[in-house]
Amino acid sequence: MTLRHLQIFLMVCEKGNMTEAANTLFMTQPSVSQAIKELETHYEVRLFNRAGRKISLTRSGEILRSYAVHITNSFAELDKKLRSTAQSHALRIGANVTVGVTMIQSLICRFKEMFPGIRVEIFVNNSKAILERIDRDELDLALVEEFAGMENYITEPFFNDRSIVVAPIGHPLLEKKEVTAKDLTETELLLRESGSGVRNLFDAVMFAKGLVVHPIWESYTSDAVIEAVRANIGVAVLPERIARPHIRNKEMSELPIRDLDLSRRLVILRHRSKILSPEGEAFAELVRTSDWDV
């Protein structure tokens, strides 16, 4: 197997057709087919499902594409770095909303002091969107919550985080002697969108209890959820680091839930095939050594 095999394979993936891939690469169609056959023989797997002229990736093909993107991009980065070592480049970091709103600013300031010539690009979004960019090698590393299904990634915990339930000042549930998870299914609930770490954890914990929630409000931003709580629209689930300042300002109250544990771990994440630059490693070390309890 060579780099050229992977480049041909990725072009076939992109075009969805070996003839179009051959035309783009200025090759003959039999040469492209032979390269794919050599890959399949080498790994003893089938990479494409074939139905006439249409092809689609098998599970093995999906795995190879994920790694091939990183391998080819790593070669391109190596070539670029060796040809122009003085040229500045970017460090691309993904962050979930909790990290992006409350944690990453101090990291960037400290990193800029260490590497003033490095451009830092930050992508703040839900974890689903971040992992999609990691898979496409559009991010070097990410700071997100830990969850199941991370086999393709290298993860390293750096902080224990949790979400809490908050209610408007004077909400009836605050008067109850004891509130349970079941009570949340019977009140107006405000949640982040599916795919966000906070929502995924909450749904999983509730499902494990045999409870299903039907929120009246779903939002892609925590700010919108906070404003809805302040407007007395309903009860919300929010990361503690985001909610705590509003609780201190008496804009809302924490609603203790006896049987609801929304603890989670935040991790440094990168694709298993990704080789970090020295600057990327330095940023990861800043994350490891920061005091996040402050």
Side-chain angles (χ1 to χ4, degrees), residues 80-269:
K80 183 178 179 180
K81 196 170 187 74
L82 291 180
R83 291 178 183 275
S84 181
T85 54
Q87 182 179 357
S88 64
H89 58 283
L91 178 63
R92 306 162 302 171
I93 302 166
N96 70 4
V97 174
T98 299
V99 176
V101 171
T102 68
M103 304 173 78
I104 204 167
Q105 294 81 359
S106 61
L107 283 176
I108 299 305
C109 292
R110 292 167 60 195
F111 181 81
K112 283 287 193 180
E113 292 176 358
M114 297 168 60
F115 301 95
I118 301 298
R119 173 184 170 89
V120 182
E121 299 174 358
I122 308 297
F123 177 66
V124 179
N125 209 310
N126 64 47
S127 297
K128 181 176 181 293
I130 289 171
L131 290 187
E132 288 173 353
R133 290 204 175 192
I134 288 281
D135 289 341
R136 296 195 300 265
D137 200 28
E138 295 173 0
L139 294 172
D140 298 307
L141 73 161
L143 307 179
V144 296
E145 70 283 351
E146 184 179 47
F147 52 85
M150 287 185 159
E151 294 81 7
N152 287 338
Y153 312 99
I154 295 173
T155 62
E156 179 184 348
F158 70 91
F159 183 67
N160 290 324
D161 184 34
R162 75 180 185 116
S163 293
I164 60 175
V165 180
V166 295
I169 301 297
H171 192 277
L173 283 179
L174 293 169
E175 303 301 320
K176 288 192 66 172
K177 185 175 182 180
E178 186 176 80
V179 182
T180 67
K182 188 175 186 303
D183 291 320
L184 297 181
T185 68
E186 301 167 355
T187 191
E188 294 82 4
L189 204 55
L190 319 173
L191 297 176
R192 284 286 308 278
E193 80 288 1
S194 295
S196 68
V198 171
R199 176 64 180 277
N200 290 347
L201 175 61
F202 179 68
D203 284 349
V205 171
M206 295 293 278
F207 181 78
K209 296 178 179 295
L211 301 173
V212 179
V213 296
H214 300 286
I216 64 166
W217 185 296
E218 293 183 80
S219 173
Y220 277 85
T221 69
S222 295
D223 287 343
V225 175
I226 289 168
E227 291 304 314
V229 175
R230 294 173 64 187
N232 202 27
I233 292 174
V235 171
V237 178
L238 289 168
E240 182 179 23
R241 291 181 70 96
I242 290 177
R244 190 58 62 190
H246 300 280
I247 294 171
R248 285 198 295 266
N249 291 338
K250 302 187 184 305
E251 300 167 9
M252 59 186 68
S253 297
E254 180 177 356
L255 181 61
I257 311 295
R258 175 177 60 81
D259 57 345
L260 193 66
D261 181 9
L262 297 177
S263 300
R264 62 180 184 172
R265 296 199 302 181
L266 297 179
V267 299
I268 306 168
L269 176 146

Side-chain angles (χ1 to χ4, degrees), residues 54-70:
K54 293 183 178 180
I55 59 175
S56 60
L57 283 170
T58 63
R59 174 59 181 155
S60 296
E62 293 280 4
I63 293 171
L64 179 59
R65 179 171 62 176
S66 175
Y67 280 85
V69 167
H70 288 270

Side-chain angles (χ1 to χ4, degrees), residues 2-41 47-48 50 53 55 64:
T2 66
L3 180 62
R4 185 59 172 167
H5 281 88
L6 296 181
Q7 292 169 333
I8 294 169
F9 168 74
L10 288 175
M11 186 58 69
V12 175
C13 293
E14 178 182 334
K15 298 299 182 181
N17 181 286
M18 292 199 186
T19 300
E20 289 188 25
N23 292 336
T24 303
L25 294 169
F26 301 101
M27 298 173 62
T28 63
Q29 192 272 335
S31 297
V32 170
S33 297
Q34 180 61 32
I36 299 301
K37 182 178 180 181
E38 289 171 358
L39 277 172
E40 292 179 324
T41 300
L47 299 174
F48 293 99
R50 297 167 175 83
R53 298 184 65 183
I55 59 175
L64 179 59

